[in-house]
Amino acid sequence: MRNLNFILIPVLFLGCAFAQNRDDQFRRIVSALGDNEFQQALDLLKPALEASPGNAELLAMRGFALAGEGHKREALASFLQALQKSPENSPALTGAIQIEFDDGNPAAIPLLQRKLRLSSDDATSHAMLAVLEYKQGNCAAAVPHFEKSGAILDSQLDGLHAYATCLVKLKQPDKAAAIFQRALALNPDDHKERRLVAAVQLMAHDSPDALATLAPLLQGNAPEVETLELASAAYEAGKDTSRAVSTLQRAISLDPQNVNLYLDFTNICYEHGSFQVGIDVINDGLGILPNAAQLYFARGVLLVQLADYDKAEADFEKSYELDPSQSLSAAALGLAAAQQHDFDRALAKVRASLAKKPNDPFMLYLQADILAAKNSDPTQPEFQLAVRSAQKAVALQPTLGVAHGVLAKLYLQAGRYPETIVQCRKALASDPTDQPTVYHLIQALRKTGDKGEIPELLKRLAQLREQTLKKDKERYRYKLVDDDPSH
């Protein structure tokens, strides 16, 4: 987030903040500050401070003079020195706050809290404190101060975004939408801002308002794909499925390589039992994007609903073949992603941890998972090390479901199907929503010839996929807010 233009007290009015009825020299210093004659003020302050080195008011005035000359660090030191002498000196407190806030320094937080103890209704101080708490990720502390900042934020786009984002994080999207509308009022022609408002209104389950917000963007001849996608979601939320479908079809025609649009269409078809229609649309998508793993998985979900289990299983298998990362656990994938999918570097970090603590079950599991992703050849030493590592992890912590999951995967690759089934069931006992493990169980059961359970497992996998799609939509809308470039 850019620094906001909150200013507590302009230099022009500093004279009012200092004590009155002082000697001529004191009044000349105040006058120089008021006229922005900062060097003159510093010249006058030098002998005055030599005579009274501990005078908090003189130290505060020197701080403003130094700040006026651009020497902010020296100015801050002078303000803090004044506060040591007089902790409630308002000009010194004001000056220190302004410098620390402009630098985005959390050191301004206790200073602002002190200022609010002296003046609890200071809206600008509330706004500044709210922004700093937001930057520290402390939305629960920030929101009450945002509330007390009143109209101060109405001209501050970044401040309004911070306020609304905090409300989203605190699961108050209805209040967040109202704040984002205040931000939109600052620039009503900004398409991204308008979509942001609509996305939050959808999070608040207010589809009529979302459509009203999007209306100006939908009236033109060439609405943007992102707008159409949001509008489709709003129509569907408002039970206007026909318009949701036609809007989404228009978006697909404009951007036929956008996988998310096909997934949106799949979701609508799933909700309304139009499974074959969804399959036909995905077939069109696969004609354009033949290597889109998500589309194969989505088609498999719909095929399950038609009880076409063999084709569904084939689609799931193709999906995993195209995107092996789906078989990585979330934790290990996160680690690998942090290393730009450099498994060797990720492995080095895990091994460094194991060197210090060789019986850490979670690190042993991570080592197994990364090795499994790196090498799927059961004859290779790395694969065998992965098996031993996973076995040790589950022995040390039998309740570590993810370790059972990776061990199941390794056993499956090694052709140890009965053992795969045992490990899959243990993993699913810990996390029934683990989609890769459900799939591995299906594969292992098929290999052993025990196919009676497979149709129910395929239905379970399809349901889990649909739940994931819905969660992904909510996360996407949240991400629109949290990743807004103005933050």
Side-chain angles (χ1 to χ4, degrees):
M1 174 183 287
R2 300 182 295 271
N3 287 331
L4 281 78
N5 299 317
F6 297 132
I7 300 175
L8 290 171
I9 297 181
V11 172
L12 179 63
F13 299 109
L14 283 175
C16 297
F18 294 107
Q20 303 298 310
N21 301 319
R22 294 303 187 101
D23 59 28
D24 183 61
Q25 185 183 32
F26 191 95
R27 287 194 294 273
R28 287 168 61 201
I29 295 170
V30 171
S31 177
L33 286 173
D35 292 338
N36 294 337
E37 296 290 344
F38 302 118
Q39 186 56 57
Q40 180 185 350
L42 287 171
D43 293 339
L44 292 168
L45 280 161
K46 185 175 180 180
L49 280 166
E50 287 174 353
S52 301
N55 187 303
E57 289 184 322
L58 293 175
L59 289 167
M61 287 193 286
R62 183 177 68 179
F64 282 107
L66 287 166
E69 287 289 285
H71 306 305
K72 289 192 173 183
R73 290 299 96 193
E74 294 91 333
L76 179 61
S78 193
F79 289 135
L80 294 177
Q81 191 179 353
L83 289 171
Q84 286 179 344
K85 302 295 182 182
S86 177
E88 296 185 356
N89 183 283
S90 182
L93 197 53
T94 295
I97 288 169
Q98 194 72 62
I99 291 172
E100 297 284 37
F101 179 83
D102 288 346
D103 289 344
N105 193 336
I109 291 175
L111 297 173
L112 281 160
Q113 290 169 337
R114 190 189 309 181
K115 186 171 181 64
L116 285 168
R117 284 195 293 271
L118 299 174
S119 179
S120 61
D121 59 350
D122 184 344
T124 302
S125 293
H126 280 296
M128 295 171 91
L129 182 54
V131 168
L132 289 172
E133 292 285 14
Y134 162 77
K135 288 183 176 180
Q136 295 302 302
N138 193 355
C139 281
V143 164
H145 293 290
F146 276 126
E147 290 172 348
K148 293 176 182 177
S149 63
I152 289 287
L153 290 176
D154 282 346
S155 62
Q156 300 285 355
L157 183 64
D158 288 349
L160 290 169
H161 279 186
Y163 186 5
T165 300
C166 270
L167 289 168
V168 170
K169 289 182 177 181
L170 295 177
K171 302 187 185 307
Q172 299 178 43
D174 50 341
K175 293 182 179 178
I179 303 303
F180 272 124
Q181 283 179 313
R182 286 165 62 185
L184 180 60
L186 296 175
N187 191 2
D189 295 327
D190 188 321
H191 291 198
K192 289 183 179 179
E193 192 76 31
R194 190 167 287 279
R195 282 194 292 269
L196 188 59
V197 174
V200 177
Q201 288 168 329
L202 275 176
M203 291 169 69
H205 307 292
D206 192 347
S207 55
D209 276 0
L211 287 168
T213 298
L214 292 172
L217 305 185
L218 293 168
Q219 289 170 358
N221 294 324
E224 294 152 297
V225 169
E226 295 89 344
T227 300
L228 292 169
E229 187 176 13
L230 272 175
S232 174
Y235 285 130
E236 177 62 13
K239 303 188 184 305
D240 190 348
T241 300
S242 61
R243 293 189 74 178
V245 169
S246 62
T247 303
L248 200 51
Q249 287 173 327
R250 187 177 181 189
I252 291 172
S253 70
L254 291 172
D255 188 5
Q257 297 198 28
N258 187 330
V259 171
N260 288 328
L261 299 177
Y262 296 102
L263 296 178
D264 288 345
F265 203 100
T266 301
N267 196 39
I268 293 175
C269 291
Y270 184 92
E271 289 293 329
H272 295 279
S274 301
F275 308 125
Q276 188 58 54
V277 174
I279 289 169
D280 293 341
V281 171
I282 292 176
N283 287 342
D284 292 340
L286 285 170
I288 298 169
L289 301 163
N291 294 319
Q294 291 172 292
L295 294 185
Y296 283 101
F297 207 122
R299 189 172 66 181
V301 168
L302 295 174
L303 286 166
V304 166
Q305 309 312 311
L306 296 176
D308 197 342
Y309 299 120
D310 289 339
K311 287 183 180 179
E313 190 175 349
D315 271 352
F316 291 147
E317 186 172 353
K318 181 67 174 179
S319 174
Y320 281 109
E321 176 189 322
L322 288 168
D323 185 6
S325 69
Q326 292 182 88
S327 61
L328 266 179
S329 72
L333 184 58
L335 178 59
Q339 303 297 333
Q340 289 78 47
H341 298 284
D342 186 339
F343 293 121
D344 289 331
R345 287 183 62 197
L347 197 57
K349 287 183 175 290
V350 172
R351 285 175 171 166
S353 296
L354 284 171
K356 298 174 184 176
K357 193 177 178 182
N359 290 324
D360 184 329
F362 191 77
M363 285 297 155
L364 286 164
Y365 142 69
L366 280 180
Q367 176 173 257
D369 210 4
I370 294 168
L371 286 169
K374 185 180 177 187
N375 195 322
S376 60
D377 184 349
T379 65
Q380 294 300 309
E382 281 190 334
F383 184 93
Q384 294 160 15
L385 174 59
V387 172
R388 292 194 301 273
S389 187
Q391 289 171 332
K392 188 174 180 181
V394 298
L396 289 166
Q397 189 175 334
T399 58
L400 188 58
V402 286
H404 287 290
V406 74
L407 185 56
K409 175 189 172 183
L410 291 163
Y411 282 157
L412 181 66
Q413 290 171 334
R416 298 165 64 172
Y417 304 123
E419 292 163 287
T420 301
I421 293 169
V422 171
Q423 294 302 319
C424 282
R425 296 196 191 283
K426 289 182 177 180
L428 291 171
S430 174
D431 180 9
T433 67
D434 184 346
Q435 294 179 46
T437 298
V438 174
Y439 175 63
H440 294 152
L441 179 56
I442 292 169
Q443 288 182 302
L445 288 169
R446 183 173 292 281
K447 293 291 185 181
T448 60
D450 185 3
K451 299 181 181 181
E453 194 180 347
I454 288 177
E456 287 304 313
L457 287 171
L458 285 167
K459 291 178 184 177
R460 182 175 173 183
L461 187 60
Q463 289 169 351
L464 291 172
R465 180 61 176 179
E466 278 305 298
Q467 291 168 10
T468 299
L469 279 173
K470 291 177 183 177
K471 289 178 182 177
D472 285 347
K473 275 296 165 191
E474 285 302 307
R475 277 197 293 268
Y476 168 71
R477 289 176 192 143
Y478 177 87
K479 192 171 184 293
L480 277 177
V481 177
D482 202 39
D483 286 358
D484 186 77
S486 65
H487 292 173

